[in-house]
């Protein structure tokens, strides 16, 4: 990153890394804690259900709340509550007072407040990228790569620490990461208008809130591509929840040797995903988004379910997880950039809440169903059944025509990306301001220049843009 004020973006990336690493500790520590204390895959599925159902509720209704309270305040408050909820679990266990319903309730509270904090950080990214003088594509790739790296580190650390000091201590460390994330946002994200409460003319009321909530969902349902993404990712996330919360921990406990192998596998997937995100951030703009996405989404999920069902050793699954992570790391930067391009800044919190609710709608069912399937047909049968669902979901970009529009970008987004790239190449100390971005003279010069690198657009490119209704300049 060059130019602009990079501190807020750096603080956001650091806070998200720490919070994501802590979430990895939870994703491994809690299922392992349940398996150790109850020995039941079904109960592990119940805990997963309780942890994810509130996520859907908060995602459905949380968008307008984030706008009114402010993205910075929401991020700080939710991380603080998550720290208290997670820390309470091992403290009650040490005191001999932890009941199963208490564990479910605390995980539900964590899920309820965690999602608005994630959404608040996510929707801040484009504005902080502009402050830092970098493009949204690069910032999104960096955001995802940092998250993947943190997830990898957290998973590896969780596997080792569970074997050394127990799942209870891992949960205490997880609570500390949420506290650190809250402090970083409080100290580092200051003076950013988009992070503060949105000033609205209408006073807060149930009617106003309902209008703002419906506005986000109406925008989502009016965009066919975003809706197609939601439907596909809904099934992917549901089966992934069953994989991560039940199937992989049970497979590691029964077949692979324990928590260290579980941590190793998740860390390898994270390492592959980190590499994939970084590679895409560096060279992905040279290729068709749809072509890259279509191939990588198929390779990212289904194969690991099949390999886990057919083998009882670590090495084949480790290789599959690494390669699946490499493909999976490409997906989020593409989807994130595509979403930022299509959603206006003033609607991002509400639309992102609607997107999150839709994408995570099947997660409670996925974890619960995985536990029930393991109890009824065995772990191998559950792996094959959920793997088939995952594979069927990921072939949709090959079938439905709406996915062909992934490579189309709104003209305003192209102009913003071009200005930021030009500023970076020329060594300027700032990105274009909002006034400059909307200036007709600046737009004219950019159209005359063709691309950010100064190369004129080809005749074919100009014809394509004319067919799509975008303004073009003479050769």
């Amino acid at each position: 990153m060059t130019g602009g004020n990079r501190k807020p973006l750096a603080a956001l990336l650091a806070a998200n890394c720490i919070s994501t690493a802590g979430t990895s500790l939870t994703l491994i520590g809690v299922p392992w804690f349940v398996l150790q204390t109850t020995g039941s895959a079904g109960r592990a599925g119940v805990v997963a259900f309780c942890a994810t159902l509130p996520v859907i509720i908060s995602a459905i209704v949380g968008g307008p709340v984030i706008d009114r309270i402010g993205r910075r305040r929401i991020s700080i408050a939710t991380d603080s509550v998550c720290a208290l909820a997670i820390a309470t679990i091992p403290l009650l266990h040490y005191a001999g007072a932890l009941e199963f319903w208490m564990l479910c309730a605390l995980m539900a509270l964590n899920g309820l407040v965690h999602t608005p904090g994630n959404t608040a950080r996510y929707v801040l990214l484009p504005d902080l990228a502009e402050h830092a003088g970098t493009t949204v594509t690069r910032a999104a790739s960096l955001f995802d790569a940092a998250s993947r790296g943190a997830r990898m580190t957290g998973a590896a650390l969780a596997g080792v620490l569970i074997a050394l000091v127990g799942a209870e201590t891992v949960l205490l460390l997880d609570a500390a990461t949420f506290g650190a994330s809250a402090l970083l946002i409080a100290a580092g994200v200051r003076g950013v208008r988009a992070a503060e409460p949105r000033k609205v003319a209408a006073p807060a009321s149930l009617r106003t809130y309902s209008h703002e909530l419906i506005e986000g969902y109406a925008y989502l349902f009016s965009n066919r591509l975003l809706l197609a993404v939601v439907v596909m990712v809904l099934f992917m996330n549901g089966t992934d929840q069953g994989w991560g919360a039940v199937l992989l921990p049970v497979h590691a406990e029964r077949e692979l040797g324990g928590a260290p192998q579980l941590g190793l596998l998740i860390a390898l997937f994270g390492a592959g995903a980190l590499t994939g995100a970084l590679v895409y951030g560096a060279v992905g703009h040279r290729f068709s988004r749809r072509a890259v996405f279509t191939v990588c989404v198929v390779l990212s999920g289904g194969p690991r379910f099949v390999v886990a069902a057919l083998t009882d050793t670590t090495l084949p699954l480790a290789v599959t997880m690494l390669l699946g992570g490499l493909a999976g790391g490409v997906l989020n930067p593409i989807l994130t950039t595509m979403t930022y391009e299509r959603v206006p800044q003033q609607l991002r919190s509400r639309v992102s809440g609607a997107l999150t609710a839709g994408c995570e709608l099947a997660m409670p069912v996925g974890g619960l169903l995985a536990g029930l399937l393991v109890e009824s047909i065995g772990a191998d049968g559950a792996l094959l059944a959920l793997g088939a669902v995952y594979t069927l979901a990921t072939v949709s970009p090959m079938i439905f025509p709406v996915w062909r529009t992934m490579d189309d970008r709104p003209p305003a987004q192209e102009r913003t990306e071009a200005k930021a790239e030009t500023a970076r190449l020329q060594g300027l100390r700032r990105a274009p301001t909002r006034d400059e971005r909307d200036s007709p003279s600046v737009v004219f010069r950019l159209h005359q220049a063709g691309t950010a690198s100064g190369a004129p657009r080809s005749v074919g490119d100009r014809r394509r843009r004319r067919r799509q209704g975008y303004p073009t300049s003479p050769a």
Side-chain angles (χ1 to χ4, degrees):
M1 292 178 293
T2 62
N5 181 7
R6 294 176 289 180
K7 181 180 176 182
L9 180 59
L12 179 77
L13 293 174
N16 195 66
C17 279
I18 293 174
S19 180
T20 302
T23 300
S24 290
L25 299 179
T26 301
L27 292 176
I28 295 179
V30 170
W32 203 262
F33 178 78
V34 175
L35 289 174
Q36 281 187 328
T37 54
T38 68
S40 170
R43 286 204 164 192
V46 171
V47 172
F49 175 83
C50 293
T52 51
L53 181 61
V55 170
I56 311 305
I57 297 172
S58 64
I60 290 174
V61 303
V65 176
I66 295 171
D67 282 337
R68 287 185 174 270
I69 297 178
R71 296 161 182 174
R72 176 175 176 271
R73 294 177 184 176
I74 284 288
S75 181
I76 295 169
T78 55
D79 277 343
S80 300
V81 174
C82 286
L84 292 174
I86 295 296
T88 302
I89 296 173
L91 294 178
L92 286 176
H93 178 72
Y94 289 138
L98 182 65
E99 302 289 342
F100 183 69
W101 69 267
M102 296 179 185
L103 173 62
C104 292
L106 289 168
M107 290 304 298
L109 175 61
N110 179 73
L112 183 67
V113 300
H114 186 52
T115 296
N118 279 345
T119 301
R121 290 189 292 271
Y122 173 82
V123 298
L124 271 175
L125 190 63
D127 297 278
L128 299 188
E130 183 178 340
H131 274 259
T134 190
T135 65
V136 174
T137 300
R138 283 192 173 86
S141 295
L142 185 59
F143 184 88
D144 190 65
S147 298
R148 301 283 191 177
R151 194 171 293 117
M152 171 189 69
T153 304
L157 188 62
V160 173
L161 289 179
I162 288 174
L164 294 178
V165 297
E168 303 89 344
T169 304
V170 169
L171 295 180
L172 287 175
L173 179 60
D174 181 18
T177 64
F178 280 116
S181 174
L183 290 174
L184 277 169
I185 294 294
V189 183
R190 293 177 177 273
V192 179
R193 182 186 301 176
E196 301 307 319
R198 184 172 60 89
K199 292 181 173 59
V200 293
S205 67
L206 181 59
R207 182 177 180 179
T208 303
Y209 174 82
S210 300
H211 173 74
E212 293 175 351
L213 188 65
I214 292 171
E215 194 174 21
Y217 283 91
Y219 190 93
L220 172 60
F221 280 97
S222 70
N223 191 299
R224 295 177 60 201
L225 179 58
L226 292 181
L227 196 58
V229 170
V230 167
V231 173
M232 183 188 72
V233 177
L234 180 150
F235 287 100
M236 293 172 63
N237 282 344
T239 50
D240 267 330
Q241 178 67 13
W243 167 266
V246 179
L247 297 179
L248 185 59
V250 168
H251 183 66
E253 183 190 41
R254 296 180 181 179
E255 306 290 346
L256 304 182
Q261 286 74 20
L262 174 62
L264 172 66
L265 291 171
I266 297 177
L268 286 172
F269 188 87
L274 170 61
T275 304
L278 290 174
V279 170
Y280 184 80
V283 300
H285 61 280
R286 303 177 185 176
F287 304 97
S288 163
R289 287 181 189 171
R290 179 175 178 248
V292 173
F293 186 87
T294 301
V295 173
C296 290
V297 74
V298 173
L299 298 177
S300 64
R304 54 188 150 102
F305 287 85
V306 176
V307 172
L310 299 181
T311 64
D312 57 1
T313 56
T314 304
L315 182 59
L317 185 56
V319 174
T320 306
M321 292 282 281
L322 180 64
L323 297 177
L326 185 65
V330 173
L331 305 181
N332 278 350
I334 294 177
L335 294 179
T336 299
T337 304
M338 189 181 71
T339 302
Y340 288 148
E341 290 172 354
R342 284 162 173 77
V343 180
Q345 194 277 338
Q346 66 272 20
L347 292 179
R348 279 183 189 144
S349 295
R350 280 163 274 174
V351 176
S352 293
L355 284 167
T356 300
C359 289
E360 298 183 352
L361 191 62
M363 288 177 64
V365 179
L368 185 62
L369 179 62
L372 295 176
L373 286 175
V374 170
E375 298 285 352
S376 59
I377 64 175
D380 292 344
L383 284 165
L384 292 174
L386 291 186
V389 173
Y390 200 111
T391 302
L392 288 174
T394 56
V395 299
S396 61
M398 303 180 189
I399 300 172
F400 297 105
V402 68
W403 290 93
R404 297 171 187 166
T405 63
M406 285 189 76
D407 290 313
D408 298 342
R409 295 197 298 171
Q413 180 66 26
E414 288 195 346
R415 293 196 298 267
T416 303
E417 295 275 336
K419 293 187 190 77
E421 177 67 3
T422 301
R424 186 185 71 83
L425 292 173
Q426 294 178 351
L428 300 180
R429 297 304 300 168
R430 63 177 179 85
T433 65
R434 197 175 300 275
D435 291 336
E436 289 175 335
R437 187 177 63 211
D438 298 328
S439 168
S441 62
V442 172
V443 172
F444 176 77
R445 288 197 302 272
L446 283 169
H447 285 165
Q448 289 292 93
T451 64
S453 62
R457 289 193 176 96
S458 66
V459 174
D461 188 39
R462 290 199 300 275
R463 288 174 178 169
R464 176 184 64 81
R465 292 173 58 79
R466 193 178 299 113
R467 288 196 301 270
Q468 294 169 353
Y470 295 168
T472 58
S473 61

